[in-house]
């Protein structure tokens, strides 16, 4: 009887570890559901919108200008932020705020991206903390799940004029 109970316990633990490993790999490499908070991505993503983030793009270096990404915050490594990629390594980007009279530009260094929120007046982004290392990217958002009235692929940036092609 003890042998039977131990056998069932070890089988249960074995299945738990197997399914835990499968779940870990799915969330780490495939993607997951993310609840976005804050006003920095308005009007594209509102506070409390639920989106799907896929993680394969970051592993294959397929992040492009205009993509919305989930990134480990450069200011607080315990939290994630949601921003749009404005520039990739080697790109020339506008580093000043929209209200600045004189515009300043810089180049994104190797291995980094330039991130900005769609709500430029209410976003803490690369204009504050500079270029972000590519390794901090957790995933790329490509589908809005909730609210159902907005279900679908995400729209283009309302700040497309900030993408420089020099």
């Amino acid at each position: 009887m003890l042998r039977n109970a131990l056998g069932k316990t070890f089988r249960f633990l074995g299945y738990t570890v197997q399914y835990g490993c499968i779940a870990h790999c799915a969330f780490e490499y495939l993607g997951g559901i993310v609840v976005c908070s804050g006003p920095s991505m308005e009007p594209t993503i509102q506070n409390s919108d639920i989106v799907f983030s896929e993680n394969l793009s970051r592993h294959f270096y397929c992040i492009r200008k205009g993509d919305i990404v989930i990134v480990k915050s450069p200011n607080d490594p315990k939290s994630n932020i949601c921003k749009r990629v404005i520039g990739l390594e080697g790109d020339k980007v506008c580093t000043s705020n929209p209200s600045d009279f004189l515009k300043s530009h810089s180049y994104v260094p190797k291995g980094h991206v330039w991130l900005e929120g769609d709500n430029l007046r209410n976003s803490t982004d690369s204009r504050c903390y500079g270029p972000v290392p590519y390794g901090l990217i957790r995933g790329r958002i490509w589908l809005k799940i909730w609210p159902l009235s907005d279900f679908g692929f995400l729209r283009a940036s309302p700040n497309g004029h900030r993408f420089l092609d020099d």
Side-chain angles (χ1 to χ4, degrees):
M1 185 159 126
L2 181 59
R3 179 182 278 189
N4 190 20
L6 283 175
K8 286 183 180 182
T9 302
F10 284 125
R11 273 195 298 280
F12 175 75
L13 288 174
Y15 288 132
T16 302
V17 169
Q18 286 176 351
Y19 292 126
C21 290
I22 291 169
H24 168 74
C25 289
F27 290 124
E28 179 66 23
Y29 296 103
L30 297 180
I33 294 173
V34 178
V35 178
C36 296
S37 62
S40 71
M41 285 303 293
E42 291 177 355
T44 309
I45 298 174
Q46 303 291 327
N47 190 34
S48 300
D49 280 359
I50 300 174
V51 296
F52 182 79
S53 170
E54 62 84 14
N55 299 347
L56 290 174
S57 293
R58 73 180 172 110
H59 292 294
F60 294 112
Y61 295 91
C62 296
I63 302 294
R64 298 177 308 206
K65 280 197 272 187
D67 287 346
I68 300 174
V69 292
I70 300 292
V71 179
K72 284 278 184 206
S73 172
N75 294 337
D76 178 15
K78 294 180 181 176
S79 66
N80 292 318
I81 57 174
C82 175
K83 303 291 180 198
R84 189 178 298 270
V85 176
I86 300 298
L88 302 170
E89 63 180 47
D91 286 345
K92 183 179 179 182
V93 293
C94 180
T95 57
S96 54
N97 289 312
S99 59
D100 292 348
F101 181 72
L102 295 174
K103 303 297 180 197
S104 59
H105 296 87
S106 182
Y107 288 92
V108 180
K110 184 176 176 82
H112 290 71
V113 293
W114 189 267
L115 304 175
E116 291 181 4
D118 286 353
N119 185 353
L120 292 174
R121 299 197 190 287
N122 197 3
S123 177
T124 303
D125 48 37
S126 287
R127 293 171 295 153
C128 298
Y129 45 72
V132 176
Y134 194 93
L136 292 182
I137 296 175
R138 306 303 306 147
R140 179 177 65 95
I141 295 175
W142 64 278
L143 182 69
K144 188 184 286 190
I145 299 171
W146 189 262
L148 286 177
S149 59
D150 288 340
F151 181 86
F153 298 108
L154 295 172
R155 60 180 153 212
S157 172
N159 305 311
H161 62 282
R162 292 193 53 93
F163 295 96
L164 299 176
D165 292 326
D166 296 355

